[in-house]
């Protein structure tokens, strides 16, 4: 199976007064169809930079990114919904920009993300979890092959976060987009992913990969299995190296 997107020896630096103040170095990463991969590491290690590179918001200084499919959707950390538009019209926004009308797709996504009956509510009337569901639906509405998620549940409490982790897996099972998920949370990364990539806090590099695939059908009970604890242990050990 060919990857949808490949990053080969990709580097990008941020500068201040002509000095490097952050970025990523020598990133090698393959994103395959219908998989979920997580990228985890300390704050400032370059996780969000990788998403910006994949989505072509920024371009590599070195290395190359090749695309079999370049259609990507982005779910930011903050939902960034337009306050003057209700749930339905916020989801429709990317289609309007592209001058596409697809009411069936919007209806399908409203159902999939659990917002049926809330279509006419405005962002000020929604909980944090509901806003993120709108954000996910908006990113999926034009059927991207790869969904990029930048710590989308970090501001939510643990109970809502756990529920949305399960809902994300259910959405993925129905729509089968590849997902690249950035997080600081080890448990979240191991639970939702097929693979977890761990980054160093100092070099901006990926220092290891952990395979943690429990299959498509997941439940909270999976968090009490030996495979889950083993995945947590392996990711934690790599993170310790990343801080060393």
């Amino acid at each position: 199976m060919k990857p949808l997107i490949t990053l080969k020896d990709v580097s990008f630096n941020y500068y201040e007064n002509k000095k490097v103040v952050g970025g990523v170095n020598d990133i090698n990463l393959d994103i395959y169809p219908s998989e979920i991969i997580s990228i985890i590491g300390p704050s400032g290690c370059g996780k969000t930079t990788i998403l910006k590179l994949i989505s072509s918001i920024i371009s590599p200084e070195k290395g190359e990114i090749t695309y079999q499919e370049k259609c990507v959707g982005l779910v930011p950390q903050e939902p960034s919904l337009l306050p003057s538009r209700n749930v339905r019209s916020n989801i429709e926004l990317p289609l309007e920009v592209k001058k596409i009308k697809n009411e069936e797709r919007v209806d399908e996504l409203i159902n999939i993300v659990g917002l049926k009956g809330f279509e006419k509510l405005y962002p000020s009337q929604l909980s944090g979890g509901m806003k993120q569901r709108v954000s996910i639906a908006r990113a999926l509405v034009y059927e991207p092959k790869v969904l990029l998620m930048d710590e989308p549940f970090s501001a939510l409490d643990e109970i809502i976060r756990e529920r949305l982790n399960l809902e994300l897996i259910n959405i993925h099972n129905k729509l089968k987009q590849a997902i690249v998920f950035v997080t600081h949370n080890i448990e979240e990364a191991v639970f939702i992913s097929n693979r977890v990539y761990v980054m160093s806090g100092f070099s901006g590099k990926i220092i290891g990969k952990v395979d943690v695939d429990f299959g498509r059908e997941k439940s909270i009970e999976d968090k009490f299995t030996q495979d889950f604890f083993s995945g947590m242990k392996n990711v934690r050990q790599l993170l310790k190296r990343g801080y060393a």
Side-chain angles (χ1 to χ4, degrees):
M1 183 186 299
K2 290 184 178 179
L4 294 171
I5 302 174
T6 296
L7 284 72
K8 184 177 181 182
D9 300 327
V10 169
S11 296
F12 178 90
N13 289 310
Y14 298 98
Y15 297 90
E16 188 174 299
N17 297 325
K18 298 183 179 181
K19 292 183 179 180
V20 175
V21 292
V24 295
N25 293 288
D26 301 321
I27 299 298
N28 290 282
L29 182 67
D30 291 317
I31 303 166
Y32 288 92
S34 302
E35 70 170 354
I36 302 178
I37 64 173
S38 287
I39 303 173
I40 192 169
S43 296
C45 69
K47 301 184 296 297
T48 298
T49 298
I50 291 176
L51 297 190
K52 288 180 178 179
L53 287 161
I54 294 170
S55 60
S56 301
I57 293 174
I58 56 178
S59 300
E61 292 182 348
K62 190 188 85 171
E64 63 177 350
I65 304 175
T66 56
Y67 298 86
Q68 182 182 337
E69 293 281 354
K70 199 171 183 178
C71 185
V72 300
L74 176 63
V75 180
Q77 187 171 355
E78 297 294 332
S80 302
L81 305 180
L82 295 180
S84 61
R85 299 177 71 107
N86 63 23
V87 165
R88 185 179 189 88
S89 59
N90 263 292
I91 294 171
E92 289 173 334
L93 183 59
L95 296 179
E96 291 180 17
V97 172
K98 294 176 179 287
K99 297 183 178 177
I100 298 171
K101 193 169 183 64
N102 191 342
E103 291 187 7
E104 289 183 3
R105 176 65 174 175
V106 176
D107 289 336
E108 177 190 22
L109 285 169
I110 285 172
N111 281 320
I112 287 174
V113 301
L115 290 171
K116 182 71 173 176
F118 300 96
E119 300 97 322
K120 295 182 179 180
L121 295 185
Y122 289 83
S124 62
Q125 299 171 297
L126 302 177
S127 67
M130 292 177 75
K131 289 177 184 177
Q132 280 297 11
R133 293 183 199 182
V134 178
S135 186
I136 292 168
R138 184 176 61 185
L140 289 169
V141 73
Y142 58 91
E143 303 184 61
K145 295 296 183 182
V146 180
L147 182 65
L148 308 176
M149 306 188 75
D150 190 3
E151 299 188 63
F153 309 140
S154 62
L156 305 176
D157 66 55
E158 285 301 312
I159 294 174
I160 299 299
R161 186 176 192 147
E162 190 172 75
R163 187 183 304 162
L164 288 178
N165 285 167
L166 285 169
E167 290 186 8
L168 177 63
I169 292 166
N170 289 333
I171 291 168
H172 175 257
N173 288 344
K174 290 173 183 174
L175 301 180
K176 302 199 169 39
Q177 273 87 1
I179 296 175
V180 183
F181 192 96
V182 163
T183 181
H184 282 96
N185 189 296
I186 300 173
E187 181 177 311
E188 181 173 63
V190 172
F191 182 64
I192 69 171
S193 306
N194 305 112
R195 289 177 287 138
V196 179
Y197 288 88
V198 180
M199 295 191 68
S200 165
F202 305 101
S203 64
K205 293 183 177 182
I206 292 173
I207 57 173
K209 171 178 70 76
V210 178
D211 293 315
V212 289
D213 192 2
F214 305 125
R216 287 190 181 276
E217 300 300 328
K218 297 182 181 179
S219 68
I220 296 303
E221 284 69 33
D222 288 321
K223 293 187 177 184
F224 302 97
T225 63
Q226 187 57 47
D227 285 342
F228 183 78
F229 289 128
S230 177
M232 292 266 289
K233 178 181 177 182
N234 291 337
V235 171
R236 191 171 280 114
Q237 287 176 338
L238 282 171
L239 280 170
K240 285 182 179 178
R241 279 178 46 198
Y243 279 98

